[in-house]
């Protein structure tokens, strides 16, 4: 599994530019292969079934994961949400963990990214209550739960997570996208 990250995006389409860069560097796939969507909406390369990817963007940031098995990623900008939201979407254990954090919204963004990554890994979409999506509490380094690997990363004003069948890397590739978007 490899993870690519870019900041400074000025258009949503640049997230796909990050995928193209990652696929070319990691797999030698250039130009970017045709992308289709499975029934649940998960994107895939129809002519490259053993090459799995997932892509997320939030604000001016994008995150991309490549792997040999299904994978899901999510990146979130840290912001203030409605104060009632954590109680609606978090399990009791997650709420207790949040209450111990000094920065509620940074911690919440990390939990939200983990839940999104798990849903995106399955490709099924949101089929149950967000509160019922099982994810590990954020920790240092990769964590396993239910036979899946989870990894998290944070930076100033953002939080990101991956969920997949391979152990996530400690570091992510930070890329500059100097590709003009038309």
């Amino acid at each position: 599994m490899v993870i690519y990250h870019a900041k400074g995006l000025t258009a949503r389409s640049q997230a796909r530019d990050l995928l193209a860069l990652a696929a070319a560097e990691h797999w030698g796939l250039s130009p970017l292969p045709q992308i289709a969507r499975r029934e649940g909406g998960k994107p895939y390369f129809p002519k490259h079934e053993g090459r799995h990817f997932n892509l997320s963007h939030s604000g001016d940031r994008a995150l991309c994961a490549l792997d040999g098995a299904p994978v899901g990623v999510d990146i979130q900008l840290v912001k203030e949400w409605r104060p009632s939201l954590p109680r609606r979407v978090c399990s009791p254990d997650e709420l207790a963990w949040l209450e111990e954090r000094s920065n509620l919204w940074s911690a919440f963004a990390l939990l939200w990214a983990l839940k999104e990554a798990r849903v995106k890994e399955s490709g099924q979409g949101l089929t149950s209550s967000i509160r019922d999506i099982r994810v590990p509490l954020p920790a240092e380094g990769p964590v396993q739960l239910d036979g899946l690997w989870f990894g998290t990363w944070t930076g100033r004003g953002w939080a990101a997570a991956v969920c997949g069948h391979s152990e996530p890397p400690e570091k992510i590739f930070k890329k500059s996208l100097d590709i003009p978007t038309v």
Side-chain angles (χ1 to χ4, degrees), residues 58-115:
S58 182
D60 73 338
R61 296 186 178 268
L63 192 70
C64 175
L66 305 178
D67 202 2
V71 63
V73 293
D74 191 59
I75 189 164
Q76 294 288 324
L77 293 183
V78 175
K79 63 181 182 180
E80 282 194 33
W81 299 73
R82 285 174 288 160
S84 62
L85 187 60
R87 292 218 179 285
R88 286 193 14 240
V89 302
C90 294
S91 71
D93 287 344
E94 292 164 350
L95 285 171
W97 180 83
L98 281 174
E99 289 173 5
E100 296 172 359
R101 308 281 76 84
S102 61
N103 187 326
L104 169 69
W105 298 118
S106 291
F108 180 75
L110 197 52
L111 275 175
W112 188 270
L114 280 162
K115 288 176 179 273

Side-chain angles (χ1 to χ4, degrees), residues 77-171:
L77 293 183
V78 175
K79 63 181 182 180
E80 282 194 33
W81 299 73
R82 285 174 288 160
S84 62
L85 187 60
R87 292 218 179 285
R88 286 193 14 240
V89 302
C90 294
S91 71
D93 287 344
E94 292 164 350
L95 285 171
W97 180 83
L98 281 174
E99 289 173 5
E100 296 172 359
R101 308 281 76 84
S102 61
N103 187 326
L104 169 69
W105 298 118
S106 291
F108 180 75
L110 197 52
L111 275 175
W112 188 270
L114 280 162
K115 288 176 179 273
E116 287 271 352
R118 177 145 194 184
V119 168
K120 292 172 77 176
E121 179 279 330
S122 75
Q124 300 299 310
L126 195 56
T127 59
S128 64
S129 166
I130 296 170
R131 180 181 294 151
D132 296 334
I133 298 169
R134 284 178 35 93
V135 296
L137 294 176
E140 286 284 324
V143 177
Q144 276 191 296
L145 178 70
D146 300 333
L148 295 169
W149 282 97
F150 293 84
T152 58
W153 302 272
T154 59
R156 188 174 176 183
W158 62 274
V162 65
C163 174
H165 298 263
S166 303
E167 184 172 354
E170 285 184 36
K171 299 198 181 230

